[in-house]
Amino acid sequence: MPDYPLSLRVRGRLCVVVGAGDVGRRKARGLLDAGARVRVVDPVAARLHDLEEAHCLPRPYRPEDLADAFLVFAATSDHDLNRRVAADARKGGALVQMADDPAGSDFSLPALLRRDDLTIAVFSGGGSPALCSLLRDEIDAGLGPHWGVFLEIAAALRRKRLTGSDSSSYNRNVLDQLAAADLAGLIAAGDRDAIERLLSRVLGTSVSLDQLGVSLSKGSK
Ligand SMILES: C[C@@]1(CC(=O)O)c2cc3[nH]c(cc4nc(cc5[nH]c(cc(n2)[C@H]1CCC(=O)O)[C@@](C)(CC(=O)O)[C@@H]5CCC(=O)O)C(CC(=O)O)=C4CCC(=O)O)c(CCC(=O)O)c3CC(=O)O
Ligand SMILES: NC(=O)C1=CN([C@@H]2O[C@H](COP(=O)(O)OP(=O)(O)OC[C@H]3O[C@@H](n4cnc5c(N)ncnc54)[C@H](O)[C@@H]3O)[C@@H](O)[C@H]2O)C=CC1
């Protein structure tokens, strides 16, 4: 049975990482990048030195470290300890991920590719995490920076029209027309005049990139 993929809002929520080896530190960084409050526990203080934004506890794990946790990562190299951490976490109602037990965990993380607000996530059902990274890099190489700008334009147009009664079909229709006229290619080429003309033609009114608050500089190669 496949997992249920979602994009979790962890901003301001407490997430605890037990074990700050390569794996635990990678998870802690990702959580900090997403604005979570992060607590990291590891008896080897040197492992915590580059995680200043986190609340670091340089000592062995204790069950009370998980108090109020939303997510818990059991990332030590001690299998039994990871299982104990997971059991403690579930008692407190947290979702838990054990670095060495995908099947026993509540969730797993994908390899990520980001272009501003655009995120592409690659999962392999735990079959080969290294393949997830490889495929992410392949997609990265083929996916120009202009898709982030395309999303900015699409999101700005959508915000402006969402109050209309049949807004969903309107939004879909506008997007289809912009894509068919190769808006992505025009952004990649940095052709501002052609983009403004295309927007006016499709929207039947004069819409400028400035009005939409979109800068082209990020999208051209
Ligand atoms: C289930 C899951 C749980 C989770 O951790 O979320 C999990 C579990 C395990 N990973 C293992 C190994 C490796 N993991 C990586 C790397 C990544 N692992 C990630 C995700 C996941 N790893 C989840 C499944 C995702 C899916 O498949 O859908 C990535 C994508 C995301 C991230 O961690 O943020 C991140 C790339 C980040 C990036 O590139 O951006 C590398 C490569 C490297 O380190 O360079 C290796 C070594 C090569 C190899 O084995 O493939 C082992 C065996 C450990 C051992 O042998 O002891 C287990 C445990 C097991 O399989 O039993
Ligand atoms: N999910 C994933 O992406 C991957 C998972 N793994 C698995 O993840 C586990 C960790 O891998 P690494 O980070 O490479 O190992 P590591 O050995 O570098 O780090 C483990 C950390 O756990 C700490 N630790 C040990 N006892 C502790 C305790 N009582 N309380 C708190 N911390 C404690 C250690 O001090 C160490 O810093 C391994 O079991 C490995 O099989 C490995 C690679 C990728």
Side-chain angles (χ1 to χ4, degrees):
M1 200 179 291
D3 285 349
Y4 183 67
L6 46 76
S7 181
L8 210 54
R9 213 145 294 132
V10 295
R11 190 179 314 135
R13 307 199 75 162
L14 180 66
C15 301
V16 181
V17 180
V18 182
D22 287 346
V23 174
R25 280 208 304 277
R26 183 166 75 229
K27 310 297 190 201
R29 281 261 144 258
L31 290 164
L32 288 167
D33 288 349
R37 287 186 291 132
V38 182
R39 183 180 294 154
V40 189
V41 193
D42 195 303
V44 182
R47 297 254 157 129
L48 302 167
H49 78 276
D50 57 348
L51 291 170
E52 330 46 45
E53 307 120 272
H55 175 208
C56 294
L57 298 172
R59 55 162 176 72
Y61 163 76
R62 295 180 201 150
E64 60 264 32
D65 296 337
L66 307 184
D68 300 324
F70 175 52
L71 300 180
V72 171
F73 294 79
T76 77
S77 40
D78 177 338
H79 184 68
D80 293 339
L81 175 58
N82 288 344
R83 296 185 73 81
R84 279 208 308 282
V85 171
D88 294 344
R90 284 176 175 142
K91 273 187 220 150
L95 293 176
V96 64
Q97 199 255 294
M98 289 173 272
D100 54 355
D101 186 359
S105 299
D106 296 320
F107 62 94
S108 58
L109 302 189
L112 285 180
L113 169 54
R114 291 198 199 268
R115 292 276 190 281
D116 304 309
D117 282 342
L118 188 69
T119 301
I120 294 177
V122 184
F123 290 97
S124 72
S128 175
L131 182 81
C132 295
S133 306
L134 194 80
L135 185 53
R136 184 266 320 278
D137 294 345
E138 283 275 317
I139 298 170
D140 192 19
L143 189 85
H146 46 281
W147 286 102
V149 177
F150 196 142
L151 172 60
E152 264 190 68
I153 293 174
L157 292 173
R158 190 164 181 267
R159 275 196 302 276
K160 284 193 182 300
R161 288 287 171 160
L162 265 180
T163 47
S165 52
D166 60 347
S167 54
S168 278
S169 55
Y170 173 86
N171 286 322
R172 181 60 208 248
N173 189 286
V174 164
L175 197 74
D176 286 349
Q177 289 186 60
L178 294 176
D182 194 24
L183 175 60
L186 297 178
I187 298 168
D191 193 342
R192 171 177 284 272
D193 290 347
I195 294 169
E196 311 267 24
R197 279 199 305 276
L198 174 62
L199 291 175
S200 298
R201 177 163 66 75
V202 170
L203 295 156
T205 165
S206 158
V207 178
S208 73
L209 290 167
D210 285 345
Q211 277 167 352
L212 295 176
V214 174
S215 151
L216 280 189
S217 56
K218 284 185 284 187
S220 49
K221 291 186 180 179

